Amino acid sequence: MPVFPEEPEIHESLPGPGVPFPRESDAQALHAPATGGAPATAPTTTAAAPLPVPGPRPAPPRAAPPRADRQGPPRLIPKPGPAPRRPAPATPQVEVQRIAATPAQALERADDAVDRLLDSGRNPGDVLVLTVGEAHPWQQHELSFGEERYWAQLTEGGDVFYADAALTRPVRREVVVLVVNGGSAARAAEAYGAALGRATALLVVCGEAGPAVAAAAGAAPGRPVKA
């Protein structure tokens, strides 16, 4: 009978240095006795729950816009001071024109002056003729229709108006023609002052108006001079 050599016995060895030790489950499986049951299985580990996926990062907070009432320290509104004084409107200077004439020539010179004014483009309603002596023929003619009709022409203001230099009604027109056709020097001087106050632009003096126009005596006839 043949003799078989004995199989060498395999001994379990420990891992050397630097060799990873087998898992504990594997070591236990090696030392567990063999049975006829189901093979031993490695214990299962519960899978960790998945981490939540982070959402979009929130934007940094915006700075709030400054409020209108917080833009800075409130402005101090200065107290209103006294209103500046307005300069008084300058009184328009009336131009004075002297036409040399005797009392007998004054009416004729005045009519010529009125015709020149109208020919130059003056409105008839802007001319007032005042007589120091006898009333102008046109004044006498208009009074023949009655005083009511006569004064109505003054109110209407559509034509040259003839009146006495001692007129008491408040009348002012652009051009005043003063006719010195009689009366005293004192009355002529007074009529001159009144006529100057009724004119707004031009005063035409036909004749010698006394001391009131003494400064204009050296002026050439018909040449404008300042009042």
Side-chain angles (χ1 to χ4, degrees), residues 121-191:
R122 295 279 184 178
N123 189 342
D126 294 335
V127 181
L128 173 65
V129 179
L130 301 176
T131 53
V132 177
E134 185 179 4
H136 194 281
W138 274 110
Q139 180 184 357
Q140 297 177 20
H141 175 72
E142 298 297 339
L143 281 171
S144 65
F145 297 98
E147 289 197 4
E148 183 177 355
R149 177 57 188 165
Y150 171 72
W151 293 113
Q153 289 185 346
L154 177 61
T155 304
E156 295 169 359
D159 203 352
V160 179
F161 190 76
Y162 297 85
D164 190 276
L167 179 67
T168 57
R169 299 201 178 193
V171 181
R172 296 198 71 187
R173 288 199 173 182
E174 187 174 333
V175 181
V176 175
V177 179
L178 180 62
V179 186
V180 187
N181 58 338
S184 63
R187 188 170 187 271
E190 183 180 356

Side-chain angles (χ1 to χ4, degrees), residues 3-91:
V3 178
F4 296 96
E6 298 180 357
E7 294 181 1
E9 186 180 354
I10 300 174
H11 299 278
E12 182 181 357
S13 61
L14 297 176
V19 178
F21 194 87
R23 290 180 299 177
E24 182 180 358
S25 59
D26 296 339
Q28 293 176 355
L30 293 176
H31 294 283
T35 58
T41 59
T44 59
T45 59
T46 305
L51 297 177
V53 179
R57 181 176 298 179
R62 289 185 178 181
R67 291 172 51 181
D69 55 350
R70 295 185 180 178
Q71 292 182 356
R75 294 184 303 171
L76 298 178
I77 301 176
K79 295 182 179 180
R85 293 184 178 180
R86 294 183 179 180
T91 303

